[in-house]
Amino acid sequence: MGTVKLRAKLPLLLLLLAVLSADGAKKIWLKNTNWMNSANWDRGSPPCSKQVVSFQEKPNPYAVFVQNDVSVGELVLPLNGEIVFADDLKVNFGSFTDDPACMAGDNRFVGGEPGDWLNPHNWRVEDDGNLVEPMSPEDDSSPTSPGDDTDGFPVLHAEVVPCTHDTVVFPENATYLVRLDHSKQVKHVDFTGKVYKRKPEFHQFLRSENGEMQFKLGPSGDIAVMGQDCKELSGCYCGNEEHMDLICDLYGDNCPPLTCSSPITPRGSCCPMCGSVLLLNYDDTFDIMAFQDRLVVDFVPKVREYTGRVKGRVSKLADGHVQLVLVDDVSGARNGMAAVEVGEHVASVIERDMGPYPTYGVKGLTIKNSGIGNVAQVARGSGGNTVLYIAAGAGGGAVFFIAILVSLVIIMKKRRADSEGGQNGASVRKPPMPAGAGRPGAAGQAGGGAGPSGGDKGADKGFENPVYDNPIKDNPLYADIPDDP
């Protein structure tokens, strides 16, 4: 079967893929101990001219960077640590009457708690020059599920933390406080403008007074600057899967609510998601970059219209598998449906390609899909009216809607007949429900969860889904595609 034909028959979906490049990504540290960082003060804002400034006492000293002119009422210096002033900076002391917005009192620096290297909240990903900044339901600065980042690509939490071939950046004009109790390898470290490319020179910095004040390394803590790109054709393992328990503990309970049934959790993620995950076994010819490029060519349709964009990320796992994670931007209970459809198409094409001379280089795969959303969501409309939203697999929503209409017609007729029967003694017998009016999605290939049920549970209440239930060669979606020779 030609890939051009297949591409032409996917008008409703747009597939976008991202994979870490051979020279890795940039991971930018976010948490600093700067004077002007509002999060570092117990009043939620930097001190002003009528306030008495003090510093949180800690067993280990830390540094505070003052980057702008400041005015304070009093300044109580810590017993240890240091305050670093930018060049040509002025510190004004005394209470100024021309500062009406300043509330007098104490303002304490509370930013002296080290940020953990393995905490995804402390990093921002810059992949191939494009910022991939994961979002939480509350703000735009911390990662959540693989489907929630500003570029729309799933970012796994294990890959938010620096990987072995990444460059780590601590931006200039700041001081930092970083804790690490494990040994980690990175490609380069850019610390406030100085780039460390070799292990000995960065270790020398870590042992310096400046390095020890900003990096709190445990007995097993180490940062090894290896200076190496990924040279494996099949891609390189990030290096953080063995720390997933700690990464997820630090990430906390920040996973967003999901609307699909039977959500799945990809390897390297702290959160379940709606979509599709493929695990690939491959031979020596497998090229992860070429695989990504070919997926885009083979599955990006000639778009006429589409119901949602499908985003994917390809990554190498600790056990050698390659993982393809697919999500989509479809909202509500149908979230994940487009990704599942693309996942099934990718799997079917790769499976047909397997043989003595596979062009993809894949020799085996497994696929896991979230269930088709079929959860009833009740929303209050204007005037106190209740609106019922029910979603299922392709065509299932129509089946449900038709079944509800049929039921309403039957009830209305029955009530009318009962009313008439009460007058003339006639009786009305309840008609049987049509066979296709049961729960949808039961036989869906994508693993649709159970929907509303009633009556005989053993009865066949499914329906034929033309996308998921038919073999590809019998599917009317591919009616004009000739069989393989």
Side-chain angles (χ1 to χ4, degrees):
M1 178 173 61
T3 58
V4 174
K5 285 285 188 178
L6 176 61
R7 187 168 68 249
K9 300 306 292 185
L10 293 173
L12 299 180
L13 303 171
L14 177 63
L15 176 62
L16 304 172
L17 284 173
V19 65
L20 295 181
S21 60
D23 56 354
K26 285 184 179 180
K27 306 292 173 66
I28 302 173
W29 181 264
L30 299 175
K31 182 180 173 68
N32 62 49
T33 56
N34 284 7
W35 180 286
M36 297 305 296
N37 185 348
S38 298
N40 289 332
W41 299 96
D42 63 356
R43 286 202 174 198
S45 62
C48 55
S49 61
K50 300 177 184 178
Q51 295 177 349
V52 177
V53 178
S54 61
F55 294 83
Q56 188 178 32
E57 296 291 345
K58 288 290 183 180
N60 296 316
Y62 58 91
V64 177
F65 181 67
V66 186
Q67 63 268 51
N68 300 316
D69 292 350
V70 294
S71 297
V72 298
E74 295 181 38
L75 182 61
V76 182
L77 296 175
L79 297 176
N80 56 16
E82 65 182 26
I83 300 177
V84 181
F85 295 97
D87 294 339
D88 301 323
L89 179 143
K90 295 179 181 179
V91 180
N92 300 309
F93 291 92
S95 178
F96 295 90
T97 58
D98 60 347
D99 192 1
C102 182
M103 299 294 293
D106 295 330
N107 199 349
R108 192 180 187 207
F109 188 92
V110 293
E113 189 66 33
D116 201 294
W117 179 281
L118 294 178
N119 187 343
H121 292 288
N122 291 332
W123 297 100
R124 185 181 68 195
V125 181
E126 186 176 335
D127 191 357
D128 296 332
N130 297 316
L131 287 180
V132 182
E133 189 169 358
M135 300 188 303
S136 74
E138 294 79 22
D139 57 70
D140 294 341
S141 61
S142 58
T144 58
S145 74
D148 287 333
D149 62 81
T150 53
D151 280 354
F153 294 105
V155 178
L156 307 182
H157 301 99
E159 295 179 4
V160 174
V161 178
C163 300
T164 301
H165 302 284
D166 290 340
T167 294
V168 174
V169 179
F170 292 85
E172 298 183 58
N173 299 317
T175 48
Y176 302 96
L177 197 54
V178 183
R179 178 178 58 239
L180 179 58
D181 297 321
H182 302 83
S183 178
K184 301 304 299 177
Q185 294 182 355
V186 296
K187 178 184 176 182
H188 297 147
V189 175
D190 180 345
F191 190 82
T192 64
K194 180 175 175 55
V195 180
Y196 296 90
K197 298 183 177 181
R198 297 187 303 116
K199 183 176 180 179
E201 61 177 347
F202 189 65
H203 275 179
Q204 183 178 358
F205 165 74
L206 290 176
R207 290 191 296 266
S208 69
E209 182 180 359
N210 188 22
E212 289 181 349
M213 193 167 293
Q214 300 190 69
F215 288 87
K216 308 302 180 182
L217 302 181
S220 301
D222 184 39
I223 303 172
V225 178
M226 308 304 293
Q228 296 178 351
D229 291 327
C230 176
K231 300 185 183 302
E232 294 187 27
L233 197 65
S234 62
C236 291
Y237 165 54
C238 173
N240 290 324
E241 251 186 280
E242 57 265 38
H243 303 303
M244 279 307 297
D245 288 343
L246 181 54
I247 289 173
C248 293
D249 285 344
L250 293 167
Y251 176 72
D253 187 17
N254 290 297
C255 297
L258 300 176
T259 55
C260 62
S261 63
S262 303
I264 52 179
T265 304
R267 296 262 295 273
S269 174
C270 298
C271 297
M273 51 158 263
C274 302
S276 184
V277 175
L278 286 77
L279 291 180
L280 310 178
N281 291 320
Y282 48 86
D283 58 27
D284 294 338
T285 66
F286 179 80
D287 183 333
I288 193 169
M289 300 299 291
F291 174 74
Q292 174 202 251
D293 294 341
R294 185 170 172 189
L295 280 181
V296 173
V297 170
D298 284 1
F299 294 96
V300 172
K302 297 176 180 177
V303 179
R304 296 191 294 272
E305 61 175 318
Y306 55 89
T307 58
R309 291 187 305 169
V310 176
K311 291 84 63 176
R313 180 162 294 276
V314 182
S315 55
K316 182 83 166 283
L317 302 179
D319 60 6
H321 286 93
V322 166
Q323 178 176 250
L324 170 60
V325 182
L326 297 170
V327 297
D328 60 47
D329 62 359
V330 179
S331 61
R334 300 175 69 87
N335 183 238
M337 289 175 59
V340 167
E341 184 174 353
V342 169
E344 293 289 349
H345 280 302
V346 171
S348 65
V349 171
I350 292 177
E351 286 173 348
R352 287 168 174 258
D353 181 70
M354 292 178 192
Y357 307 103
T359 59
Y360 278 98
V362 176
K363 61 181 183 180
L365 68 83
T366 59
I367 181 171
K368 293 183 179 179
N369 297 324
S370 61
I372 302 302
N374 57 5
V375 179
Q377 299 176 346
V378 179
R380 293 287 177 181
S382 59
N385 296 325
T386 300
V387 182
L388 180 65
Y389 297 94
I390 302 177
V399 172
F400 252 121
F401 185 61
I402 292 171
I404 291 172
L405 288 179
V406 171
S407 299
L408 289 174
V409 171
I410 291 172
I411 292 171
M412 292 175 66
K413 287 183 177 181
K414 182 179 186 303
R415 286 181 177 176
R416 181 178 298 177
D418 285 345
S419 176
E420 295 172 354
Q423 298 175 3
N424 57 22
S427 62
V428 177
R429 191 170 57 181
K430 181 178 179 181
M433 289 293 291
R439 62 180 180 91
Q445 189 177 2
S453 60
D456 183 8
K457 296 183 179 181
D460 181 10
K461 300 179 180 180
F463 69 99
E464 278 202 353
N465 188 324
V467 173
Y468 296 100
D469 295 337
N470 295 340
I472 192 168
K473 66 180 181 179
D474 298 327
N475 195 318
L477 186 64
Y478 303 93
D480 60 344
I481 301 176
D483 292 336
D484 292 333

